[in-house]
Amino acid sequence: MREDYEKCGLELAVYEGRPNMEQIKLALPGRDEEIEVVCAMLRNMGELGIPVWCSMWMPILGVMRTSREIPTRAGARVSGFDHAQLRDEPLTEHGIVTEDEQWENLRYFLERTVPVAEEAGVKMAMHPDDPPLSPIRGVARIMSSIENYQRLVDLVPSPCNGIALCQGNFALMTDELPAAIRHFGQQDKIHFVHFRDVRGTARKFEETFHDDGQTDMYACMKAYKDVGYEGVCRPDHVPTMEGDDNDRPMYSSIGRLFAIGYLKGLRESVYRD
């Protein structure tokens, strides 16, 4: 994979591939074997000089959307989530999964992987729950608040234990996203950024064009500059533009071109000075 990027003149600076981790998250038999696969991946990344791994901690349910066909401006379509539509959904086959259980399972995981990441020279960047709402169908989702993210980085203190600041999710955790960027950036804990926006609350929201959400994106870019962030920033989810197919909701090619242009222009206006 790294060679493919280099053939295009690009550096593979973040890896978002994730091996199976369900046994780890739920403390089921086989979790130590899954942890060893993660450790082997981290060692391989270190050998190849890939500096950041974007991890994720969402047991059972993963990224959740209740619609991928919400109309927005100019005939485009976006994804969204409405918790009310899950009101009658049953518990999963795992029943109640508590926050205390999740924190203990996460500690177990980090205590075994962070030292390997340190040795390999790889920074771990934990992605938020999407949506950042807990519980859903009886399953606790602990990467869902500013306070819990601080608890994460304090749980196993290390320069390698940090966060993937996905703005779409963090904007649903706080009304002061630039302040959150400064809070974690001043601790040097932002290892990766998903630069996107939403409109609504964690219980009911829709994704937006990058220039059409509830967040002051200029203020966010200014906050990254102020804390000295120089890492990777990608646009992540985008609308499906009029004329493009919606086979891959949130990853439209035309929508991505718009997002990249917006991001690059905003970055230049802030970082050039």
Side-chain angles (χ1 to χ4, degrees):
M1 186 181 292
R2 192 192 71 170
E3 288 173 353
D4 288 342
Y5 273 76
E6 289 176 344
K7 288 175 184 176
C8 299
L10 299 171
E11 174 192 0
L12 180 53
V14 177
Y15 183 57
E16 293 194 68
R18 303 177 188 99
N20 188 24
M21 292 172 52
E22 284 301 289
Q23 275 68 30
I24 298 171
K25 297 170 190 175
L26 298 171
L28 295 175
R31 69 170 170 176
D32 288 332
E33 289 81 0
E34 287 189 350
I35 287 173
E36 184 48 47
V37 171
V38 172
C39 290
M41 180 192 68
L42 291 168
R43 294 186 189 103
N44 291 340
M45 289 177 62
E47 282 194 40
L48 292 170
I50 303 170
V52 176
W53 175 49
C54 180
S55 57
M56 192 177 277
W57 194 266
M58 280 183 268
I60 307 167
L61 299 174
V63 175
M64 301 187 72
R65 294 292 185 270
T66 54
S67 176
R68 292 172 171 80
E69 295 279 352
I70 301 171
T72 189
R73 76 181 187 203
R77 291 162 287 171
V78 296
S79 73
F81 176 83
D82 185 353
H83 189 255
Q85 296 184 29
L86 304 179
R87 184 180 296 118
D88 299 324
E89 290 291 316
L91 299 178
T92 73
E93 67 273 23
H94 296 279
I96 300 294
V97 179
T98 69
E99 292 201 3
D100 286 346
E101 290 171 332
Q102 282 297 286
W103 281 112
E104 184 53 40
N105 297 346
L106 179 58
R107 179 192 296 277
Y108 187 93
F109 171 72
L110 292 176
E111 286 178 346
R112 287 154 180 78
T113 55
V114 167
V116 177
E118 290 176 342
E119 185 178 347
V122 175
K123 292 182 177 181
M124 299 167 63
M126 180 68 77
H127 189 282
D129 297 324
D130 190 355
L133 184 65
S134 180
I136 299 178
R137 295 181 60 193
V139 179
R141 293 160 72 88
I142 56 176
M143 291 294 94
S144 57
S145 71
I146 302 298
E147 295 75 19
N148 281 10
Y149 258 94
Q150 187 60 52
R151 183 174 176 179
L152 162 74
V153 299
D154 293 339
L155 196 61
V156 178
S158 167
C160 292
N161 181 23
I163 74 176
L165 202 152
C166 178
Q167 290 193 180
N169 301 129
F170 270 79
L172 299 172
M173 300 179 198
T174 177
D175 293 329
E176 299 293 337
L177 185 51
I181 292 168
R182 289 188 169 87
H183 173 77
F184 290 107
Q186 287 163 356
Q187 300 175 65
D188 198 23
K189 289 300 181 181
I190 302 176
H191 296 164
F192 183 36
V193 172
H194 284 183
F195 198 81
R196 64 180 179 92
D197 207 3
V198 295
R199 188 183 299 111
T201 68
R203 300 189 73 84
K204 184 177 181 179
F205 69 87
E206 62 185 56
E207 301 195 88
T208 68
F209 281 93
H210 283 63
D211 64 342
D212 195 33
Q214 64 193 34
T215 304
D216 186 336
M217 302 292 260
Y218 179 88
C220 289
M221 188 66 76
K222 182 73 163 55
Y224 291 122
K225 180 177 184 294
D226 289 347
V227 299
Y229 180 72
E230 295 288 347
V232 173
C233 173
R234 79 175 183 92
D236 200 29
H237 299 169
V238 300
T240 298
M241 301 280 277
E242 178 73 18
D244 202 1
D245 64 61
N246 203 26
D247 292 343
R248 297 186 69 229
M250 304 181 284
Y251 294 97
S252 157
S253 297
I254 303 174
R256 184 163 301 279
L257 289 174
F258 176 91
I260 291 171
Y262 177 82
L263 194 161
K264 286 175 67 69
L266 195 59
R267 182 182 63 181
E268 182 176 337
S269 70
V270 171
Y271 273 74
R272 68 180 302 168
D273 296 329

